[in-house]
């Protein structure tokens, strides 16, 4: 695997236009395989002011420990850089984030310095097209093994088998809490995450991509769900979610939690219809 060391964080403001242009390339000009490349950025430090802003938007308390979802926003520019290249087999516009799994092997501290590395893997068929994983890892400087791993699964629609069949319609469970999500949460999360995808910002820009209103970022819904477990989380755990129906902004959603043999499970539902926005689990690492 080719390893590319970056001496600065990729500029998302420059990458997004590049990604839009690459999306116009004919399919014949694209690679058919995922790139065998890893991007690495060393010496990554947490800005306490940025962390505080992230915590406020997502609902976490201020602490010297990083939320497990926080390093995702530090890895995100590397993810976009890797997927925005014209040689990437799929254009970045139109990719659907369908799942995310984060493993934290111990509490991470705001004072630590990290080496962040990103690669892609696992191109495979899906009933609605093809999917693949973007794998991000963080290694504390001076150590060898990653203390944090993030796997984001993306779907490229088209050419799938369509064999999944119609899903059974479930009844929404009794909510543990009700989320009242403001219309500007997409813009607020974009400011702290760098993810300025227009589907999250305004109704007018979301409509250009087929949505009736702006939709919440999937990683905001995951982070906000995780914040509900503060004070209960083990030192080492895996938190996995599947993203389902979009959460339209502004919106109201029903959040349900329960305990499992090795941790917790949770679901986020449309508050008026039995349609899930997200489901997830938190599993203790032995």
């Amino acid at each position: 695997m080719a390893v590319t060391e970056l001496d600065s964080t990729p500029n998302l403001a420059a990458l997004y236009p590049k990604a839009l242009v690459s999306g116009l390339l004919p399919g014949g000009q694209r690679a058919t395989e995922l790139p065998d490349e890893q991007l690495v950025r060393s010496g990554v430090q947490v800005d306490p002011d940025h962390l505080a802003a992230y915590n406020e938007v997502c609902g976490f308390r201020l602490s010297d420990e990083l939320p497990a979802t926080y390093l995702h926003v530090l890895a995100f520019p590397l993810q976009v850089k890797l997927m925005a290249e014209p040689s990437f087999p799929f254009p970045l516009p139109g990719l659907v984030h369908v799942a995310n799994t984060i493993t934290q092997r111990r509490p991470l501290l705001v004072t630590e310095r990290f080496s962040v590395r990103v690669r892609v893997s696992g191109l495979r068929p899906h009933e609605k097209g093809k999917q693949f994983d973007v794998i991000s890892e963080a290694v504390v400087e001076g150590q060898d093994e990653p203390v944090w791993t993030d796997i984001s699964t993306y779907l490229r629609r088209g050419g799938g088998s369509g064999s999944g069949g119609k899903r059974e319609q479930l009844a929404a469970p009794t909510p543990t809490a009700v989320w009242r999500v403001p219309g500007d949460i997409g813009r607020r999360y974009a400011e702290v995450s760098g993810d300025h995808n227009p589907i999250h910002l305004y109704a007018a820009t979301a409509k250009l991509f087929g949505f009736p209103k702006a939709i919440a970022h999937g990683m905001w819904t995951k982070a906000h769900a995780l914040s509900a477990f503060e004070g209960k989380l083990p030192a080492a755990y895996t938190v996995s979610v599947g993203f389902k129906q979009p959460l339209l902004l502004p919106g109201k959603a029903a959040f349900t939690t329960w305990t499992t043999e090795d941790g917790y499970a949770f679901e986020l539902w449309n508050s008026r219809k039995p349609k899930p926005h997200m489901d997830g689990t938190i599993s203790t690492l032995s």
Side-chain angles (χ1 to χ4, degrees):
M1 175 179 291
V3 177
T4 302
E5 293 271 358
L6 304 179
D7 57 10
S8 62
T9 300
N11 185 343
L12 287 171
L15 285 174
Y16 276 122
K18 180 179 180 181
L20 290 173
V21 171
S22 73
L24 301 176
L25 292 175
Q29 296 185 20
R30 292 188 170 276
T32 57
E33 301 292 336
L34 296 173
D36 189 23
E37 181 181 13
Q38 180 171 257
L39 300 183
V40 179
R41 174 82 172 98
S42 300
V44 175
Q45 291 182 281
V46 175
D47 178 346
D49 290 337
H50 181 259
L51 175 62
Y54 175 89
N55 285 349
E56 181 180 3
V57 169
C58 296
F60 294 106
R61 298 191 295 264
L62 295 178
S63 171
D64 289 338
E65 291 186 10
L66 307 179
T69 50
Y70 178 73
L71 283 180
H72 180 91
V73 305
L74 301 188
F76 184 69
L78 281 73
Q79 297 174 2
V80 174
K81 179 174 176 58
L82 197 57
M83 294 189 287
E85 294 297 328
S87 59
F88 198 77
F90 311 111
L92 186 57
L95 290 178
V96 182
H97 194 185
V98 295
N100 176 268
T101 295
I102 292 175
T103 297
Q104 173 181 288
R105 293 172 179 82
R106 66 161 176 78
L108 308 178
L109 303 177
V110 66
T111 53
E112 293 182 297
R113 289 166 58 96
F114 302 94
S115 176
V116 177
R117 55 200 191 198
V118 174
R119 67 186 188 277
V120 290
S121 180
L123 182 61
R124 56 199 184 274
H126 184 275
E127 65 193 54
K128 295 182 179 179
K130 293 183 179 180
Q131 63 182 0
F132 62 93
D133 298 323
V134 180
I135 303 170
S136 305
E137 296 175 320
V139 179
V140 174
E141 287 198 343
Q143 301 181 12
D144 297 323
E145 296 299 319
V147 292
W148 175 92
T149 301
D150 173 299
I151 303 175
S152 284
T153 302
Y154 286 90
L155 167 66
R156 176 62 179 177
R157 296 182 186 274
S161 65
S163 59
K166 186 176 181 179
R167 299 296 193 270
E168 179 184 359
Q169 182 63 68
L170 303 177
T174 302
T176 306
V178 175
W179 294 6
R180 289 174 172 82
V181 186
D184 67 346
I185 198 65
R187 298 189 292 278
R188 292 171 57 201
Y189 185 76
E191 286 301 312
V192 297
S193 69
D195 186 354
H196 289 272
N197 188 324
I199 64 175
H200 302 302
L201 305 181
Y202 300 95
T205 55
K207 286 178 180 177
L208 297 174
F209 296 87
F211 296 96
K213 297 180 180 180
I215 65 174
H217 293 76
M219 289 305 296
W220 177 83
T221 61
K222 178 173 183 173
H224 196 51
L226 190 65
S227 74
F229 295 93
E230 280 193 305
K232 303 177 183 178
L233 295 170
Y237 62 92
T238 294
V239 52
S240 298
V241 300
F243 301 120
K244 311 298 183 181
Q245 297 289 326
L247 174 56
L248 301 179
L249 302 175
K252 188 166 71 171
F255 183 62
T256 304
T257 68
W258 63 96
T259 58
T260 64
E261 288 186 359
D262 61 350
Y264 304 95
F266 54 91
E267 291 177 336
L268 187 68
W269 292 79
N270 185 302
S271 63
R272 294 181 299 174
K273 303 175 183 178
K275 293 183 179 295
H277 296 302
M278 177 181 66
D279 57 26
T281 58
I282 299 171
S283 303
T284 302
L285 293 183
S286 57

